[in-house]
Amino acid sequence: MQGKKPNIILITTDQQRFDSVKINGGSFMNTPHMDSLGQEGACFGKAYCPNTVCTPSRVSMMSGMHLSRHGAYNIGTFASGYDSFLSTILRQNGYRTHHIGKAHWHPFWVDSPENQKVDEVGTPLRNFAGFETAEPAIGHTTFGITGFYEHWVKQKGFDPSTLKIDRLYEEDANDTGNWNLPVELHNGHWIAERAIDFLERHEGDQPFFLNLGFQDPHHPHVLPFDFQNRVDPDVIPLPDIDVDSETGHAEHIPLLLDGKMVESRFNGQFVIAGNVKAPWRPYFKDELKTRATRAYYYSMVQLIDEQLGRILKAVEQLEIKDNTLIIFTTDHGEMLGDHSIGQKGPMIYEGVTHIPLLMRYPNAFGCCKVEECVSLIDMLPTVLDFAGIKDTLQRDGISLKNRLQNGKALERNGVRIEFKEEPDRIRFKCWVTEEWKLAVYMGEAFGELYHLKTDPGEKHNIFDVPEYQAVKMQLLLELLNDMERSEPLSRRPCRA
């Protein structure tokens, strides 16, 4: 039907690397359903997160703004409000809006909208973060049986208190292993089941916005005991851990390698976001442990892919495929041994900043490969543009609609990444183009500059190399221009 607003399904995983999707070059992966989205729609080769930990990146995705605009600068902060959220805008414009799974727009361990008690019958929350209804859960894998997911598990007859973990190693910061939870009770299975239920119950011509938040493949790297579709550890490429061959490390990188970041001047009141006290350097020198934890991580992605397949099948069977915009992405990546570092945190390396992004909307665009740099902050403007909704706020992100439909070049030649541990602790602003990556650390004398064309592994920081100072200055000007471009402006009705 011409002019009919599209249904929107936004699917977000947690801490998923770009190379964990076969269509993105992960030849050892088995992700047919993620691949199908990119093969039938758009596959983005250079999508980046706006921040390298959960809450700031997720609030940026929902608001189309960087943390310097929305203020939720780190894990443990609250989104300041929901008026700018995609959920609110779509609901105000006639959409039926529903959320299932992880949100993380608020802190976990204090009272917040995300950890409200679930009643005896599992009635969805109302008016949750701009959504009409919601079924949230917090946490990840072994400590993620919470909220509506916990209620669902108990309804299935499983007692979470009987949960047992069979860890492969006694000391393992990634807690790699198996648990006695079957696949049919895994959080991914729960999300798919609840999503399908929502789709089947939805009636009439009202468009819907369904937001799905998978808890995986965030550590702990744990799989259900009966999951069979596992990646063979022997076929996974090992990370390049030859740190001694790298040059020009930023001051905090050796601290991350040795697990001493939390003891340094860079740490604030709380433990550094996204990382632990683990000394990663010896961890990733152990090949057996490295192969095992990487295999479990990538297998967690394949489990998600199977559940994605169930959702895509329901969309097709309900005959809503053509008019449904599906976006599949994540909040940030995972180092997983790159540069001998694990997990995430105050870094700009590709492993944690470069993310998968796939889109499909048969009524609007066909198969295409997008190699320009894009960001999660572009999701809100893009969705609103496809929905024909005029945005009243100045956003940091831009709409990708013209690029997807008409191949029109983007009006921006790079993307920004921001990090703020605390207002007076380690913080940076980063500018990424197809060729270069620059990071300026506020209040510090050091920085980072990589030539991605000749040094894709980001092994040689040339921030202080004399012959690259002109390039650094040009990139810095581009970063400043991007920051100025999105500054909010009050209405100016006259001169006087």
Side-chain angles (χ1 to χ4, degrees), residues 457-477:
E458 300 167 301
K459 295 174 71 67
H460 304 292
N461 177 16
I462 52 178
F463 187 85
D464 290 322
V465 176
E467 54 261 43
Y468 291 102
Q469 296 312 294
V471 172
K472 184 168 73 175
M473 182 60 69
Q474 176 60 36
L475 294 170
L476 181 59
L477 289 173

Side-chain angles (χ1 to χ4, degrees), residues 399-471:
S399 173
L400 307 177
K401 180 181 176 182
N402 257 337
R403 174 62 181 85
L404 295 172
Q405 283 191 325
N406 308 314
K408 185 177 178 181
L410 299 180
E411 64 218 44
R412 182 190 63 197
N413 69 332
V415 294
R416 193 192 332 161
I417 304 169
E418 298 184 345
F419 187 93
K420 188 186 294 289
E421 176 59 31
E422 293 290 351
D424 60 347
R425 291 297 188 269
I426 189 166
R427 56 208 186 275
F428 65 71
K429 293 191 187 297
C430 174
W431 182 246
V432 188
T433 71
E434 293 181 51
E435 187 172 1
W436 299 94
K437 184 185 287 184
L438 169 74
V440 180
Y441 288 79
M442 308 305 166
E444 303 290 349
F446 65 84
E448 291 179 89
L449 175 63
Y450 301 103
H451 189 196
L452 299 178
K453 294 286 188 182
T454 60
D455 182 24
E458 300 167 301
K459 295 174 71 67
H460 304 292
N461 177 16
I462 52 178
F463 187 85
D464 290 322
V465 176
E467 54 261 43
Y468 291 102
Q469 296 312 294
V471 172

Side-chain angles (χ1 to χ4, degrees), residues 153-197:
V153 166
K154 290 179 177 178
Q155 291 293 103
K156 297 287 186 178
F158 184 85
D159 181 0
S161 68
T162 65
L163 187 67
K164 295 180 181 179
I165 312 300
D166 181 16
R167 290 183 171 83
L168 301 188
Y169 308 100
E170 285 189 13
E171 295 185 9
D172 180 3
N174 288 324
D175 288 330
T176 312
N178 300 288
W179 52 346
N180 63 325
L181 192 77
V183 172
E184 64 182 16
L185 294 181
H186 187 265
N187 71 78
H189 199 280
W190 163 66
I191 288 174
E193 182 175 300
R194 298 305 301 146
I196 293 168
D197 181 76

Side-chain angles (χ1 to χ4, degrees), residues 220-281:
H221 296 165
V222 177
L223 291 167
F225 73 93
D226 60 347
F227 182 62
Q228 300 298 315
N229 184 19
R230 301 191 180 210
V231 179
D232 183 351
D234 293 332
V235 305
I236 295 179
L238 287 170
D240 184 353
I241 60 170
D242 185 14
V243 180
D244 293 337
S245 69
E246 299 182 10
T247 59
H249 277 150
E251 185 178 324
H252 65 297
I253 297 300
L255 297 172
L256 283 168
L257 282 164
D258 297 329
K260 296 181 178 179
M261 186 79 164
V262 297
E263 304 168 8
S264 74
R265 66 183 180 87
F266 297 117
N267 199 64
Q269 179 181 357
F270 306 99
V271 175
I272 288 285
N275 224 286
V276 294
K277 297 180 181 180
W280 291 116
R281 194 192 309 256

Side-chain angles (χ1 to χ4, degrees), residues 5-44:
K5 292 185 182 297
N7 302 309
I8 313 294
I9 302 178
L10 175 57
I11 304 170
T12 309
T13 62
D14 195 336
Q15 205 158 304
Q16 185 177 352
R17 289 171 60 93
F18 177 80
D19 66 3
S20 66
V21 182
K22 187 170 186 177
I23 197 174
N24 287 344
S27 59
F28 55 92
M29 293 297 293
N30 178 28
T31 53
H33 306 295
M34 296 178 195
D35 295 344
S36 71
L37 289 177
Q39 290 162 346
E40 297 173 11
C43 182
F44 292 80

